[in-house]
Amino acid sequence: MPAADRLEAIRAFNRFYTRRIGALNDTLLGSPYSLAESRLLWELAHHEHTTATELARTLELDAGYLSRLLRRLKDQGLIDSTRSPTDARQTQLSLTPAGRAAFAPLDQRSREQIGTWLTPLPEAHQQQLLQAMGTLQQLLGNEAPRQGHEPFLLRPHRAGDMGWVVSRHGALYAQEYRFDMRFEALVARLAADFIDRFDPTHETCWIAERDGQNIGSVFLVQARDETTHAPLPGVAQLRMLLVEPTARGLGLGQRLVQECERFARMAGYSRIVLWTNSLLSAARGIYQKAGYTMTASEPHHSFGHDLVGETWQKELT
């Protein structure tokens, strides 16, 4: 496709999507708030204490325009401001009880709107839509690959990926740590559970590609009680982080963990937990650098070896 046609195709998509989400209306979803005001309410609802500087950077808004938006919301009693305890030059912003009451129905209407889009679509089309949106965000996001930077692409899972995840875990852990085939069986059960329980609003899988070949993976799922398998509210679990030996040293493992945290925050989780073994020093280094702390460890005999299992977690507040 010629470059000019590509530009026009993207512009046509922009016109379609802005109309679809109601961005052209004076207010959003029948609320009294504009799209920009609604986005500010969302940011404040999901970040207990933030500043105008942080909001301007996150939303890429002009400081003067942002100031006017915040003033309107503050005049309505929706935003409270307090002096930062660590920097007297900064003012921390948060929603008042009235602000949270105003945001709740707006948030619910947004969920309902998305539900009306998804419900008529068969499961295969929903998965196709989510994968396409994930690819769009990955390629055009703030951390998108650029020439001379990340030599890989992250994408959502698709048919055939679970078999690859199981196979490569089994082969690599046998080669590098001499784990027996019971480890591969465990990964197969986890992958099957992921597919059987998959909830795209609260769970995700990222597959890393380079030159069309899979080179890494990671999963973020709803954490569950080990005995009852009941969901643990507000807790996500990071699983099956894998980086192929040929892709190590590229920062891929760190990037996969960052993507899990980004998704967890968007999904409303307050904590991420993970389980690993003490001999996985490279993975442990990634978790520690990302701000995870070890909360428990215990010896166990698994996969043909005496090991020390470790539980790590990160609070997202």
Side-chain angles (χ1 to χ4, degrees), residues 33-231:
Y33 311 109
S34 67
L35 176 61
E37 290 170 333
S38 300
R39 180 59 192 273
L40 280 176
L41 291 174
W42 190 95
E43 290 292 335
L44 291 166
H46 291 81
H47 300 88
E48 186 174 356
H49 294 290
T50 188
T51 66
T53 301
E54 291 169 344
L55 288 172
R57 181 172 59 249
T58 300
L59 301 178
E60 298 183 3
L61 289 177
D62 173 76
Y65 177 55
L66 175 62
S67 178
R68 292 191 294 272
L69 290 174
L70 292 172
R71 189 179 305 116
R72 284 203 294 268
L73 294 176
K74 190 172 182 179
D75 289 344
Q76 297 174 49
L78 306 182
I79 296 179
D80 190 19
S81 60
T82 57
R83 187 67 61 187
S84 170
T86 58
D87 186 348
R89 298 168 298 176
Q90 293 283 354
T91 299
Q92 291 184 336
L93 304 173
S94 60
L95 288 183
T96 63
R100 295 193 175 277
F103 172 73
L106 183 60
D107 189 47
Q108 181 61 31
R109 289 174 200 164
S110 178
R111 293 176 183 274
E112 292 171 354
Q113 180 192 54
I114 302 302
T116 61
W117 296 355
L118 292 178
T119 300
L121 300 178
E123 176 66 21
H125 289 178
Q126 292 190 28
Q127 292 298 325
Q128 185 180 4
L129 175 65
L130 292 168
Q131 289 178 2
M133 296 182 78
T135 300
L136 182 66
Q137 185 174 2
Q138 170 65 25
L139 291 176
L140 298 182
N142 290 335
E143 298 180 1
R146 296 290 186 265
Q147 185 176 1
H149 291 277
E150 293 179 337
F152 51 79
L153 169 70
L154 303 188
R155 61 166 178 80
H157 65 287
R158 61 190 181 210
D161 285 331
M162 294 304 110
W164 176 84
V165 168
V166 174
S167 173
R168 294 309 294 155
H169 271 81
L172 284 178
Y173 278 75
Q175 175 184 341
E176 298 182 351
Y177 304 106
R178 303 184 65 83
F179 281 14
D180 62 28
M181 293 183 67
R182 284 173 288 187
F183 178 71
E184 188 171 351
L186 170 64
V187 176
R189 284 193 293 272
L190 295 177
D193 287 343
F194 174 76
I195 295 299
D196 288 341
R197 297 170 175 167
F198 182 54
D199 173 6
T201 63
H202 291 90
E203 298 180 318
T204 191
C205 165
W206 290 108
I207 301 294
E209 280 188 1
R210 180 173 61 178
D211 298 328
Q213 300 296 317
N214 293 352
I215 57 172
S217 68
V218 74
F219 293 69
L220 189 86
V221 301
Q222 167 70 63
R224 294 176 179 273
D225 183 274
E226 293 184 1
T227 303
T228 65
H229 303 293

Side-chain angles (χ1 to χ4, degrees), residues 256-296:
L256 289 168
V257 171
Q258 288 173 347
E259 279 300 303
C260 284
E261 181 178 337
R262 180 190 64 80
F263 181 90
R265 291 183 182 277
M266 292 179 60
Y269 288 110
S270 59
R271 179 187 307 159
I272 303 177
V273 299
L274 63 89
W275 183 84
T276 188
N277 282 290
S278 61
L279 81 169
L280 305 180
S281 57
R284 295 172 79 256
I286 291 172
Y287 302 142
Q288 191 169 23
K289 186 175 181 179
Y292 288 78
T293 56
M294 187 173 65
T295 58

